[in-house]
Amino acid sequence: MRVASPYAFGVAAGLALCGWIVVGAGCRLGFDAPQAGEDANGQVRGVDASRSDAAVDAGGAPDAMPDSMIDAMVDAAPAPAAVWKQATPTQVGAGSTLAASLPNQPFVGNTVVVWVWSWAWGSSTFAPASVTDNAGNTYELLVSSGIDGGACSGGAAAGAIYMSRLTSVSGALTITVDPEGDESQQLSMAAAEYGLVRHELPPVATSSVIAAAPSPLLVQTGNIEVDGPSLLVGLASECGGYPEPVTWAPGDGWITRAEEPRTSGIAPGSAIEQIADGGGSFAARWTLTYLSADQPAFAMMAAIR
């Protein structure tokens, strides 16, 4: 949209008065005699009225900004690191697979992030093994973490974050998580679509395991340094709280995209995001409160840039 200059608006307003204030055969926009420095025709002496910058030369208001200059200013404005489009509801279940669908058809070229976390009885080691969808897109594992060896309420817990830059879309997109190991595990997942993600550099990620401690427990990752706009995504899960629910409180700047407080039979977890339009040092963090005995937790974060 082109915006007229104040000078143009002034001229328009003056012309509206021309029916009332007339000098000879011409309209003087409110003046009934030549002003200092003007000739009888109202022109500034020594200034070529045909020049587009005559008003500036005469000490008046400038003309409207040239279109080329406006376009250059618009082009120079930085685009956001990402734009959130839509997300699946948090899906929970028990078994060998779990699926969730985006409410609307996504767009080719957009980015889908998938968060998944799970818990299984016993001391077996397991983790989310793969993510697929019904359009044949490829999902990249960004980061994973977990707690094994029966240290997590008598079982093992795991989580991961996946990403896909969509190359194929055919109607509604349904995303399926297929973990390895125990097929009776508790599963939770969510997915979200983002536009404008640059993918100019490889993703970077970090994860950490937090030792058991009394509530409230600070659950956080290490820092990731990014030197430009990035989509930051984080995930945390813990082993305490059963059967009482837990409370997840993300740190400043983070938005919750999915959350499970640990109802009976469902592993607790929290999926968060932050759109960072500039560089800096970032860490995913939560304040976790619960009523059960001390239990460990884990956290992870990835920067998509």
Side-chain angles (χ1 to χ4, degrees):
M1 181 177 69
R2 307 303 179 205
V3 181
S5 71
Y7 177 72
F9 282 114
V11 172
L15 290 174
L17 297 175
C18 284
W20 297 93
I21 305 173
V22 178
V23 178
C27 174
R28 292 283 292 113
L29 301 182
F31 300 103
D32 57 4
Q35 305 299 299
E38 294 181 349
D39 60 23
N41 296 319
Q43 300 299 325
V44 179
R45 297 188 183 97
V47 175
D48 181 358
S50 66
R51 288 173 52 192
S52 63
D53 58 352
V56 177
D57 290 347
D63 290 337
M65 182 180 294
D67 288 353
S68 59
M69 187 177 295
I70 294 176
D71 292 339
M73 293 174 66
V74 171
D75 292 341
V83 175
W84 179 84
K85 295 293 187 180
Q86 59 176 331
T88 68
T90 305
Q91 295 292 312
V92 298
S96 58
T97 62
L98 186 64
S101 298
L102 291 170
N104 304 301
Q105 177 175 311
F107 287 89
V108 169
N110 281 357
T111 299
V112 170
V113 173
V114 182
W115 298 266
V116 55
W117 62 97
S118 53
W119 180 89
W121 179 256
S123 59
S124 60
T125 299
F126 75 100
S130 66
V131 174
T132 58
D133 66 35
N134 60 338
N137 293 289
T138 299
Y139 288 79
E140 174 187 354
L141 175 63
L142 297 177
V143 60
S144 63
S145 186
I147 303 169
D148 303 317
C152 194
S153 294
I161 303 174
Y162 291 82
M163 174 197 73
S164 177
R165 190 173 190 182
L166 300 181
T167 59
S168 176
V169 172
S170 179
L173 191 71
T174 298
I175 302 156
T176 301
V177 172
D178 182 12
E180 63 184 9
D182 192 331
E183 293 189 356
S184 64
Q185 57 195 275
Q186 303 168 8
L187 295 171
S188 300
M189 70 170 292
E193 177 192 5
Y194 301 87
L196 300 183
V197 181
R198 289 169 168 77
H199 296 283
E200 294 174 344
L201 297 169
V204 291
T206 185
S207 64
S208 58
V209 175
I210 294 86
S215 175
L217 178 65
L218 179 61
V219 179
Q220 64 181 353
T221 67
N223 288 348
I224 287 180
E225 301 285 341
V226 295
D227 56 6
S230 303
L231 169 60
L232 309 174
V233 289
L235 172 66
S237 185
E238 58 85 42
C239 306
Y242 186 80
E244 300 89 357
V246 302
T247 300
W248 298 96
D252 292 344
W254 292 92
I255 297 173
T256 298
R257 282 297 169 211
E259 183 177 272
E260 173 53 49
R262 190 164 195 168
T263 52
S264 180
I266 302 300
S270 173
I272 59 177
E273 72 169 43
Q274 182 174 167
I275 296 175
D277 290 330
S281 179
F282 299 92
R285 57 175 53 89
W286 299 254
T287 299
L288 176 65
T289 56
Y290 52 89
L291 300 175
S292 68
D294 301 352
Q295 294 285 347
F298 62 85
M300 63 194 76
M301 180 181 70
I304 307 170
R305 39 198 192 131

